[in-house]
Amino acid sequence: MSFIGYDIQADRRYCFSGRDILVDENGLPASPAELLALSPVSVGDSQCGASAFEFPGGQTVPSHCRFIPLRQYFATNSEEEVAVVSRMKALLGWKKATRFCPCCASLLEPHPKEAAMVCPNCGTSQYPKIEPCVIVVIKKGDKILLLKHKTRNQDIYACLAGFVEAGESIEHALRREVREETGLEITGIRYMGSQAWPFPYQLMIGFIADYLSGEIQIQEDEISEALWCDACNLPNIPAAGSISRYLIEYACDEIRSRRKK
Ligand SMILES: [Zn+2]
């Protein structure tokens, strides 16, 4: 049972600002009580025994603390810790954005029994938001397809990814995203795993697939470059701790081990 909005615990408490997390001089999570007292939004969750709050605007970062990107924190912490931090980051962002009932516009209150908010006027419950996304590495012979995005992380070559749309199956979304962004058709789709990615609410659903047909035609408003990369000579790829990195390394390992035979 979880209580959104209760149980602001001191033992496992996180302070976030945008896509960053506050850490101390040892790189451990820092969450000074004086900042919590000034924070505009906080959240507690008994399911994972943790709480979180937003860094209050206009305040100074304590001298022994600093903010680091969450992606960097993910790369250097255990899977279990990353799962807890991802949940708290997603819950905090959701709570901040979920103040009013979408049916009658009344102010929502924490649900008495569930990790949810409830409307005291019409009884409608609001549950934490999850946005499913497909992410894929496409293999073609000894190469994999990597993309450079036009607006985000412009210095790295990453996997192809996109949101699952209403009414779609995951498989349909995967084929559609590949077709839209690159003009290619794929086959041999293999599910590889998933990862919560709280920027703000994504659930990344990871695949490796094989090239089937088509010539690359990039979707120019989203993608600046699509490149068939040699598995032994990769460009700048996403950091460890992301499913994107995992899929790229897995696909390249497969190609390299086949070459050795
Ligand atoms: Zn309502």
Side-chain angles (χ1 to χ4, degrees), residues 6-31:
Y6 299 159
D7 301 339
I8 298 300
Q9 303 165 19
D11 53 341
R12 209 170 187 183
R13 192 169 71 197
Y14 305 97
C15 176
F16 299 115
S17 177
R19 296 165 75 103
D20 297 338
I21 182 169
L22 192 67
V23 296
D24 63 17
E25 57 272 68
N26 300 314
L28 298 171
S31 58

Side-chain angles (χ1 to χ4, degrees), residues 101 103-106 119 121-124:
C101 175
C103 300
C104 74
S106 298
C119 175
N121 183 48
C122 72
T124 301

Side-chain angles (χ1 to χ4, degrees), residues 7-75:
D7 301 339
I8 298 300
Q9 303 165 19
D11 53 341
R12 209 170 187 183
R13 192 169 71 197
Y14 305 97
C15 176
F16 299 115
S17 177
R19 296 165 75 103
D20 297 338
I21 182 169
L22 192 67
V23 296
D24 63 17
E25 57 272 68
N26 300 314
L28 298 171
S31 58
E34 64 271 22
L35 291 178
L36 168 61
L38 298 169
S39 175
V41 56
S42 57
V43 64
D45 176 48
S46 57
Q47 180 177 307
C48 63
S51 56
F53 64 94
E54 185 177 79
F55 184 75
Q59 298 301 308
T60 310
V61 176
S63 58
H64 67 290
C65 298
R66 66 198 159 98
F67 276 107
I68 62 168
L70 269 168
R71 290 181 74 127
Q72 184 184 329
Y73 188 80
F74 290 172

Side-chain angles (χ1 to χ4, degrees), residues 8-233:
I8 298 300
Q9 303 165 19
D11 53 341
R12 209 170 187 183
R13 192 169 71 197
Y14 305 97
C15 176
F16 299 115
S17 177
R19 296 165 75 103
D20 297 338
I21 182 169
L22 192 67
V23 296
D24 63 17
E25 57 272 68
N26 300 314
L28 298 171
S31 58
E34 64 271 22
L35 291 178
L36 168 61
L38 298 169
S39 175
V41 56
S42 57
V43 64
D45 176 48
S46 57
Q47 180 177 307
C48 63
S51 56
F53 64 94
E54 185 177 79
F55 184 75
Q59 298 301 308
T60 310
V61 176
S63 58
H64 67 290
C65 298
R66 66 198 159 98
F67 276 107
I68 62 168
L70 269 168
R71 290 181 74 127
Q72 184 184 329
Y73 188 80
F74 290 172
T76 52
N77 277 275
S78 70
E79 211 169 292
E80 194 258 341
E81 173 67 5
V82 169
V84 171
V85 171
S86 295
R87 177 165 171 82
M88 296 321 296
K89 170 76 171 66
L91 289 180
L92 187 70
W94 169 77
K95 192 182 173 198
K96 187 182 175 188
T98 313
R99 294 182 60 208
F100 299 101
C101 175
C103 300
C104 74
S106 298
L107 196 61
L108 294 168
E109 296 174 352
H111 195 289
K113 291 182 180 169
E114 298 179 336
M117 301 292 279
V118 64
C119 175
N121 183 48
C122 72
T124 301
S125 293
Q126 296 297 314
Y127 289 87
K129 200 169 172 180
I130 299 168
E131 294 176 338
C133 291
V134 288
I135 180 165
V136 63
V137 167
I138 303 169
K139 292 164 70 176
K140 183 184 184 187
D142 285 352
K143 297 192 166 163
I144 62 167
L145 186 69
L146 296 178
L147 308 178
K148 231 182 194 178
H149 280 269
K150 206 158 196 173
T151 52
R152 59 179 197 273
N153 304 323
Q154 287 152 299
D155 56 333
I156 58 170
Y157 287 85
C159 298
L160 188 155
F163 288 101
V164 179
E165 293 185 355
E168 266 188 330
S169 68
I170 290 168
E171 299 85 342
H172 185 274
L174 184 61
R175 292 180 194 281
R176 175 186 53 73
E177 281 292 340
V178 171
R179 200 175 294 131
E180 283 177 2
E181 293 197 357
T182 65
L184 302 180
E185 298 295 331
I186 52 174
T187 186
I189 296 167
R190 283 179 290 152
Y191 172 68
M192 299 300 296
S194 63
Q195 180 184 32
W197 197 243
F199 304 109
Y201 315 114
Q202 283 105 297
L203 173 63
M204 308 304 296
I205 306 161
F207 299 89
I208 292 178
D210 296 315
Y211 166 86
L212 177 65
S213 62
E215 294 295 323
I216 291 177
Q217 276 190 308
I218 57 170
Q219 191 177 28
E220 286 179 354
D221 51 344
E222 281 190 31
I223 308 295
S224 63
E225 193 181 353
L227 201 62
W228 288 112
C229 303
D230 189 292
C232 292
N233 186 21

